[in-house]
Amino acid sequence: MKRILLFASLIVTFSLFPYFLLSQTRLVKPTVLVDHVDQKKMKEWVDMKYNSMTLEQRIGQLIMPIIWPSTSSRNIDAAKRLVRETAIGGVLYQKGFVGKQYEMNRILQSEAKIPLLISLDGEFGLWMRLKDAPRYPRAMALGHIKDPRYIYWYGRQIAEQCKIMGIQVNFAPDLDINNNPDNPVIGTRSFGENPADVISSGLAYAAGLEDGGVLSCAKHFPGHGNTNVDSHKVLPLISGSKQQLYQIELKPFQHYINGGYGSVMVGHLQVPAFESQPHTPSSMSYAIITDLLINKLHFGGLIFTDGMEMSGMQIPGDYQIGTRALKAGVDILLGPTNPQTIASDVIRAIKDGYLTENDIEQKCRRVLEYKYALIINQKNPSDYKPTDIRKMLNNRHFTSFCDKLWFQSIQIKHGVDYLPIVSNDSTAVLQLGVKSQTDFGRQLKLKGVVKQFFYPVPSDKKEQNLLDDLADYNTIVISLSTKYPERFSSIVNKLISSKHVVLCILNTPYIYNKLSLKEEPQVLVNAFEACGQAQIACANKITSPQMEYELKLSAKDEKLYQQAMKRALGTYQSEIDSTLLKDRFSPKYCNNISSLKFADKDNYKVVALKNKVEVIASKAIEDGAMPGCQIVALHKGAVIYDGCFGSLTYDKKKSVTNELMYDLASVTKAAATTPAVMLMIGDKKLSLKTKVQDILSSFKGTKVGSLTIKELLLHRSGLPAGINFYKDLIDPKSYPYPLISFKPLPGYVKIDTDAWGYEAFRFNPNYISITESEDYPNLFAKNIWVSKDFKEKMMSRIAGCKLTSRGRYVYSDINFILLQQMVEKVSGMPLDQLMEARIYKPMGARIMFNPIQKGLNPEQCAPTQIDRFIRKQVIQGTVDDESAACLGGCSGNAGLYASAEEFAKLMLLYRNHGMYNGKQLIDRKVFDTFINTKDRDNLRFLGFDKQRARNLNYIARSASQNTYGHTGFTGTCFWVDPDNDVIFIFFSNRTYPDRTNKRIMSMKIRQLLHQAVYDAFGI
């Protein structure tokens, strides 16, 4: 996934989303399918067909009944009468078989004077309605796939199959956010619970369909996810506020519209936030369809109702439900039970003045335009034999990719490091809720796991016998596909407490919570359904988790894909939530925190920790130690605490969220530069004995050039703690001596506890510009750019340093600036690009330098200070450290940004000695050398701070002596305790609004929070 996505730099928060939309007046016309159409020819065809029709026939174009595929003469004659007498505009075929539908469709198209628009309810392919077509995974199983190319190409394949069948519309993607786990009708039809997953996956599917020449349809507007009832049976209530709906449910639809895609299906939903009339379904609501969808969200494509036979639409009124839907703004009535009656009622409504002929004309012309684009303008499909259709749809071209998609769809929720399962006498399979062999068991037998047990109906006696039978096995693979998982809670809990358990959920992932487990299984796998394809793929995944299918598109298709993604990330998106969407489209940020293993939130130790943390953090904020913070803790690889407190600033205008990114300051040394050095040592390009002058020729003949990498990593170089490089950016004639005073003077501003800086200096124009250019490429701060030549001056300053304390411990930023230069020289890559390519991207971790330049909004970053001295601005989204700023924001000593949640992924890499999700990203031997090599005073590991014998104010007293990590000036730290298997992450912006705030140290906040983990868990 290598692409650059560009975003506008407008700053509009989610709360402004609806008001931003209100300022627009232009409808967003669908472009994907109509841009290439000859507009003049289309208008001529539409005019000709429209003028040839009676009013009744024009109304008929707005009706799309449901027809069951059949080749019986009785059924075909009935369907032909609908085409002739009602002049229906299209057909939605229901359940059947591909050959019968193909033959029936060919007959009906020949009967129609104007081509019929043929549709499919195929969210997960033709199989959803035609049982002899290829079966693909459900949306939720696709929503976690790393590379959206898979979903795009899935859309392309479905489009290709549709065109073989003579289908022009697929009622997909489902853009509902499944934010209610008790939803009985959406569930795994949704791409997930996270808006970003739904948007990225849904739009990739839509792009594939429409690039393949088939109309997509976003449903169920304005969002069917947050309800626990089924609109097929009743009218569901969506009770969220208007703001909540804009921020969550409506977001996928807005991005779909702005991507240029072509149709929307309106659900039967009661939404009081937008429709004040009680019991008015959204499918018959003028406020929701015309005011919201058309006027506010500016949709200019086709609008369908959901199926009109559904109970949620059966609301009595003066006119029939179809007539009221047309009045509300719908274009096509889907599945009316009596099309002729609907058509007659529309005529009555026109005579009464409830509807106008102009209303019908606008809708009819829109339908005809789509017919031209989808049928007339496209190459007509070949005339196939109905008996050949099944073979064509199930050929290797389709089934090969389908098999790969099934494998990719299996989610290893946690525990990938314990896979693959070992196929020997110590492993057994337990299939719950089944009494005979399944595809899952058969596939595992083929893989060598031969000992298998079945437990169809639980009982105390059978359970004990089964436990006795399983006593000699170390690893138990449990499959669970039953709708009643709670019946098997007892045996699963007992096995988890005594065995290595690989739990495979062959059903919706929501049944997992019904097991009421006291502990997490070692490995948890979601297959999302119990069909044979899912079972086989699940068995393959746990026996070969590292097997990857790389999807390579042709140059033409890759270009189409890239264009589609850019459309999906249009101007609205950059103003609403650019980073969230951009990141999700790129696999380097596809694995969010939900991929980690979580401890039971009701465990008494977890509850105790939560209570302790909340007291300490709340008190710290109340006492002004920091405006806000993020805290994540893990024990034995499971998240035991994940929370955030306070606000970005003390005015409390914006709360800290889990996604907020913090300037990590010197944590950069241990989270970027140190692992980068590890990589280069693993690549044999550096060693601990390598000298500076061996790599950087400009240091030859200097004392600094004789320093080794080991000395730099242990801070034993003798280099000074830091150099105020920024002084060289300032015109020395622009300030009286001194630039910095250690007592207050007129014209000076306070910059630290006992330091003041002269405020009215001027920058040297040789080194600073207010605009970016080829000569001034490095971002120092907002609207301040540093010359490309300044780095050479910095290196010259370093080369001239005296090593007065060489061999003694003196913590120094300069050590890691030098390490950065050495790494970049031997790798041939800037530090940020190297870490992105080798570490952060393979982990799917959203960790980065220069977030603003990578498309983030400054509001998505915590401010670090109000700099009244040097930069004279709020530092937010650019690096706080002046030395790192001189290097353009990417430095070996500082500059890294992350949220605590994303940073946890890197910590798991460290916990697993350089391995993440089964991939050894850092050589284990090299990594272990770094975390075990101490200096002679037992103060540091290579590149890391460590626990000391004396009590420090930033690390728990109970942390073992092998604990390693780092702190950051802005109020950050992380600690990895390998002896006790504890990870602790704390990010804050204690330096805001100024650096004189030292309460986080004096109050020992980091130490107290870290110690709370050990106390709560009795470590």
Side-chain angles (χ1 to χ4, degrees):
M1 186 76 62
K2 298 176 181 176
R3 60 186 181 276
I4 299 174
L5 304 174
L6 301 178
F7 296 88
S9 59
L10 300 174
I11 304 171
V12 179
T13 64
F14 286 158
S15 61
L16 293 180
F17 174 39
Y19 308 105
F20 161 76
L21 293 173
L22 288 171
S23 68
Q24 307 296 303
T25 57
R26 178 180 55 85
L27 285 182
V28 181
K29 286 286 187 181
T31 58
V32 180
L33 286 168
V34 298
D35 262 3
H36 61 287
V37 174
D38 187 314
Q39 300 296 309
K40 182 180 178 182
K41 289 183 179 179
M42 180 172 71
K43 185 177 185 307
E44 290 173 353
W45 185 86
V46 169
D47 287 344
M48 176 186 68
K49 293 298 180 183
Y50 181 81
N51 293 330
S52 70
M53 289 188 285
T54 64
L55 176 60
E56 288 79 4
Q57 290 171 331
R58 293 167 185 170
I59 294 169
Q61 289 297 301
L62 314 182
I63 298 174
M64 182 178 279
I66 294 173
I67 295 177
W68 273 256
S70 172
T71 53
S72 74
S73 57
R74 179 181 177 183
N75 290 340
I76 288 179
D77 287 345
K80 288 168 70 174
R81 281 196 299 274
L82 267 180
V83 174
R84 286 195 308 268
E85 297 172 8
T86 312
I88 56 173
V91 172
L92 169 61
Y93 287 107
Q94 267 294 6
K95 298 177 182 179
F97 297 94
V98 296
K100 289 185 177 181
Q101 178 171 314
Y102 179 82
E103 185 173 351
M104 187 181 198
N105 189 54
R106 190 169 55 175
I107 293 170
L108 295 186
Q109 286 287 22
S110 66
E111 189 73 22
K113 293 181 180 179
I114 296 174
L116 297 169
L117 201 59
I118 306 302
S119 63
L120 164 74
D121 195 7
E123 295 166 19
F124 40 97
L126 274 67
W127 183 92
M128 187 169 169
R129 294 293 178 244
L130 300 168
K131 297 309 178 186
D132 50 349
R135 182 170 186 168
Y136 291 84
R138 288 173 172 262
M140 191 172 285
L142 302 177
H144 71 89
I145 291 179
K146 296 179 180 181
D147 189 347
R149 280 180 179 80
Y150 279 94
I151 304 173
Y152 172 78
W153 195 247
Y154 161 57
R156 288 286 298 274
Q157 284 216 340
I158 299 303
E160 190 175 348
Q161 294 172 17
C162 284
K163 296 187 82 169
I164 290 172
M165 290 291 297
I167 296 168
Q168 293 86 39
V169 184
N170 185 11
F171 293 129
D174 188 318
L175 293 187
D176 299 311
I177 296 166
N178 198 58
N179 45 0
N180 187 331
D182 296 324
N183 193 311
V185 67
I186 301 302
T188 54
R189 295 169 64 190
S190 165
F191 285 102
E193 303 168 355
N194 185 333
D197 293 338
V198 173
I199 293 167
S200 61
S201 299
L203 268 62
Y205 189 15
L209 287 170
E210 298 208 3
D211 282 349
V214 170
L215 180 65
S216 68
C217 182
K219 62 185 186 185
H220 305 85
F221 186 85
H224 202 321
N226 193 16
T227 179
N228 60 0
V229 296
D230 183 354
S231 56
H232 291 84
K233 301 175 181 179
V234 295
L235 178 61
L237 173 66
I238 306 297
S239 58
S241 68
K242 189 175 291 188
Q243 184 179 20
Q244 288 171 330
L245 292 170
Y246 272 118
Q247 292 179 352
I248 300 175
E249 275 79 6
L250 291 176
K251 284 173 65 178
F253 295 98
Q254 180 65 80
H255 292 293
Y256 176 91
I257 292 166
N258 293 313
Y261 303 111
S263 72
V264 168
M265 177 184 287
V266 182
H268 309 312
L269 306 163
Q270 185 179 358
V271 191
F274 293 112
E275 173 54 73
S276 60
Q277 293 297 317
H279 308 298
T280 299
S282 47
S283 52
M284 294 189 287
S285 168
Y286 188 92
I288 290 174
I289 299 175
T290 296
D291 288 345
L292 176 60
L293 178 58
I294 298 174
N295 293 339
K296 292 181 181 176
L297 301 187
H298 312 298
F299 182 57
L302 277 181
I303 301 175
F304 294 83
T305 65
D306 202 349
M308 290 178 62
E309 81 288 355
M310 296 166 64
S311 296
M313 197 180 186
Q314 309 310 312
I315 307 299
D318 293 336
Y319 294 94
Q320 291 197 11
I321 56 177
T323 305
R324 282 178 279 157
L326 292 174
K327 177 68 173 179
V330 162
D331 295 310
I332 295 182
L333 304 174
L334 181 63
T337 53
N338 193 324
Q340 294 92 338
T341 303
I342 288 285
S344 298
D345 195 63
V346 172
I347 293 289
R348 177 173 74 93
I350 293 172
K351 290 178 180 178
D352 293 347
Y354 181 73
L355 288 173
T356 68
E357 289 194 37
N358 183 57
D359 294 333
I360 303 303
E361 179 176 357
Q362 289 183 27
K363 298 174 190 295
C364 183
R365 284 184 176 276
R366 192 153 39 240
V367 171
L368 291 173
E369 286 175 357
Y370 274 89
K371 288 188 174 185
Y372 183 87
L374 292 165
I375 303 172
I376 305 302
N377 188 64
Q378 294 197 28
K379 183 180 179 181
N380 291 325
S382 301
D383 196 10
Y384 307 116
K385 293 180 180 179
T387 53
D388 292 339
I389 293 295
R390 184 176 181 275
K391 187 183 298 183
M392 293 173 64
L393 294 176
N394 287 277
N395 67 27
R396 193 62 186 156
H397 166 66
F398 294 125
T399 59
S400 175
F401 174 75
C402 188
D403 290 342
K404 294 176 182 178
L405 199 62
W406 276 108
F407 182 84
Q408 296 293 93
S409 76
I410 305 301
Q411 179 190 41
I412 302 175
K413 187 71 172 176
H414 67 245
V416 70
D417 293 339
Y418 300 103
L419 295 177
I421 59 172
V422 179
S423 305
N424 58 27
D425 293 339
S426 67
T427 301
V429 178
L430 173 60
Q431 299 189 61
L432 301 178
V434 297
K435 59 184 178 181
S436 60
Q437 191 57 281
T438 64
D439 288 315
F440 180 75
R442 279 188 284 271
Q443 189 67 12
L444 285 177
K445 273 197 172 184
L446 291 175
K447 299 287 187 174
V449 186
V450 296
K451 196 59 183 177
Q452 304 197 8
F453 299 85
F454 304 95
Y455 190 31
V457 181
S459 71
D460 292 343
K461 183 178 179 180
K462 290 179 182 178
E463 179 178 307
Q464 189 53 56
N465 291 338
L466 193 53
L467 290 171
D468 292 341
D469 291 340
L470 294 170
D472 294 332
Y473 298 96
N474 296 326
T475 299
I476 311 297
V477 179
I478 299 176
S479 69
L480 183 68
S481 57
T482 175
K483 296 180 180 178
Y484 308 103
E486 61 275 8
R487 297 176 181 176
F488 298 92
S489 293
S490 175
I491 191 168
V492 176
N493 272 303
K494 289 174 181 177
L495 288 172
I496 288 176
S497 68
S498 60
K499 305 287 184 182
H500 297 305
V501 170
V502 178
L503 179 58
C504 299
I505 305 294
L506 305 177
N507 203 321
T508 166
Y510 297 112
I511 71 168
Y512 175 77
N513 291 331
K514 295 181 181 180
L515 280 171
S516 301
L517 299 181
K518 296 175 183 177
E519 298 180 56
E520 295 269 12
Q522 194 171 50
V523 181
L524 177 60
V525 182
N526 285 321
F528 299 94
E529 55 184 309
C531 67
Q533 294 90 335
Q535 293 192 31
I536 291 169
C538 186
N540 289 336
K541 195 83 167 190
I542 63 176
T543 52
S544 304
Q546 310 313 321
M547 184 168 60
E548 290 291 339
Y549 296 109
E550 184 179 3
L551 180 61
K552 290 186 177 180
L553 303 180
S554 68
K556 179 182 177 181
D557 290 327
E558 177 67 22
K559 183 178 180 180
L560 284 171
Y561 167 77
Q562 296 288 354
Q563 290 171 345
M565 295 302 97
K566 288 179 181 178
R567 285 196 308 268
L569 301 171
T571 56
Y572 287 90
Q573 187 262 318
S574 66
E575 298 180 47
I576 299 166
D577 190 15
S578 62
T579 306
L580 180 66
L581 266 288
K582 179 190 78 169
D583 293 349
R584 178 55 181 84
F585 269 116
S586 174
K588 64 186 178 184
Y589 300 136
C590 61
N591 292 329
N592 58 32
I593 194 75
S594 64
S595 65
L596 301 179
K597 177 181 175 182
F598 279 77
D600 179 5
K601 65 180 181 180
D602 296 321
N603 180 289
Y604 74 96
K605 294 180 180 179
V606 174
V607 173
L609 174 60
K610 179 176 181 289
N611 293 336
K612 288 175 181 287
V613 167
E614 287 179 353
V615 170
I616 298 167
S618 298
K619 175 68 170 167
I621 292 171
E622 182 182 340
D623 291 349
M626 61 206 176
C629 65
Q630 296 171 339
I631 304 164
V632 172
L634 298 92
H635 181 45
K636 295 183 179 179
V639 177
I640 55 176
Y641 188 83
D642 176 16
C644 45
F645 296 86
S647 307
L648 275 67
T649 60
Y650 286 107
D651 61 15
K652 300 181 180 179
K653 288 183 177 179
K654 187 172 182 180
S655 298
V656 174
T657 64
N658 291 331
E659 294 79 25
L660 183 70
M661 300 190 79
Y662 280 91
D663 182 330
L664 305 190
S666 285
V667 166
T668 302
K669 296 180 175 74
T673 313
T674 295
V677 174
M678 292 180 187
L679 290 173
M680 293 303 99
I681 291 177
D683 292 349
K684 310 298 183 185
K685 294 181 178 180
L686 293 174
S687 75
L688 293 176
K689 296 181 180 180
T690 301
K691 296 178 180 179
V692 173
Q693 64 191 15
D694 296 339
I695 308 300
L696 305 176
S697 59
S698 62
F699 285 84
K700 286 184 178 179
T702 67
K703 292 182 178 180
V704 175
S706 68
L707 292 171
T708 65
I709 285 179
K710 184 175 182 179
E711 288 177 292
L712 297 174
L713 288 167
L714 292 173
H715 294 279
R716 298 269 171 175
S717 65
L719 285 164
I723 299 173
N724 289 332
F725 297 108
Y726 67 83
K727 287 185 177 181
D728 292 327
L729 298 175
I730 296 172
D731 183 351
K733 298 178 181 178
S734 67
Y735 59 89
Y737 186 84
L739 179 64
I740 297 174
S741 170
F742 296 102
K743 61 181 181 179
L745 294 172
Y748 284 69
V749 294
K750 192 169 187 178
I751 58 175
D752 210 334
T753 306
D754 297 309
W756 290 259
Y758 182 68
E759 187 177 13
F761 68 80
R762 295 187 305 275
F763 283 118
N764 184 339
N766 292 326
Y767 293 129
I768 290 292
S769 172
I770 60 172
T771 57
E772 182 184 13
S773 67
E774 184 178 345
D775 293 328
Y776 295 87
N778 297 322
L779 183 65
F780 186 71
K782 182 180 178 181
N783 298 324
I784 305 176
W785 301 84
V786 179
S787 165
K788 63 182 180 181
D789 299 327
F790 191 70
K791 177 179 170 181
E792 184 178 341
K793 187 171 184 66
M794 292 174 66
M795 295 304 110
S796 177
R797 289 281 304 274
I798 295 173
C801 289
K802 296 180 180 179
L803 310 181
T804 55
S805 56
R806 186 172 185 174
R808 289 188 287 119
Y809 173 68
V810 176
Y811 179 82
S812 173
D813 286 344
I814 311 304
N815 293 330
F816 279 74
I817 292 175
L818 281 174
L819 287 169
Q820 174 198 7
Q821 308 310 310
M822 297 173 75
V823 164
E824 292 183 344
K825 184 71 173 179
V826 298
S827 69
M829 298 174 70
L831 176 63
D832 57 344
Q833 294 181 23
L834 174 68
M835 288 301 294
E836 173 70 12
R838 298 283 296 273
I839 303 293
Y840 306 147
K841 178 180 177 179
M843 290 194 306
R846 190 165 171 255
I847 304 172
M848 65 183 74
F849 291 89
N850 285 319
I852 300 300
Q853 292 182 292
K854 291 185 172 66
L856 267 74
N857 187 314
E859 292 294 319
Q860 294 171 292
C861 304
T864 51
Q865 65 161 316
I866 301 174
D867 184 354
R868 295 182 175 87
F869 173 40
I870 301 172
R871 290 162 281 196
K872 298 177 176 60
Q873 60 184 261
V874 175
I875 306 302
Q876 187 171 17
T878 56
V879 66
D880 181 76
D881 181 89
E882 291 89 353
S883 295
C886 288
L887 288 170
C890 176
S891 178
N893 71 301
L896 206 59
Y897 270 79
S899 68
E901 282 190 350
E902 292 294 324
F903 197 79
K905 299 171 188 176
L906 182 65
M907 295 300 93
L908 285 177
L909 176 84
Y910 286 6
R911 173 186 180 261
N912 294 324
H913 305 270
M915 178 181 285
Y916 190 83
N917 274 355
K919 294 182 180 179
Q920 195 71 46
L921 301 181
I922 300 174
D923 184 279
R924 179 172 183 137
K925 184 177 179 181
V926 173
F927 188 90
D928 288 348
T929 297
F930 271 61
I931 64 170
N932 288 295
T933 302
K934 299 177 284 190
D935 63 2
R936 62 174 180 266
D937 297 320
N938 200 20
L939 300 175
R940 310 285 297 195
F941 289 122
L942 291 171
F944 297 101
D945 199 354
K946 69 179 298 292
Q947 176 69 296
R948 316 278 176 88
R950 61 188 178 87
N951 188 22
L952 300 173
N953 66 17
Y954 50 78
I955 186 171
R957 62 182 182 279
S958 296
S960 73
Q961 288 297 308
N962 289 321
T963 300
Y964 62 91
H966 218 284
T967 59
F969 180 79
T970 50
T972 59
C973 73
F974 77 88
W975 297 107
V976 181
D977 183 345
D979 293 0
N980 294 305
D981 204 355
V982 171
I983 294 171
F984 176 74
I985 305 164
F986 173 86
F987 293 166
S988 78
N989 56 334
R990 67 97 190 165
T991 52
Y992 186 88
D994 64 70
R995 296 171 169 179
T996 61
N997 182 7
K998 308 290 177 65
R999 293 186 186 91
I1000 198 172
M1001 284 79 87
S1002 62
M1003 294 173 64
K1004 300 183 179 180
I1005 300 302
R1006 288 176 287 194
Q1007 182 193 55
L1008 291 172
L1009 289 167
H1010 193 194
Q1011 183 62 40
V1013 178
Y1014 291 86
D1015 292 344
F1017 277 72
I1019 301 172

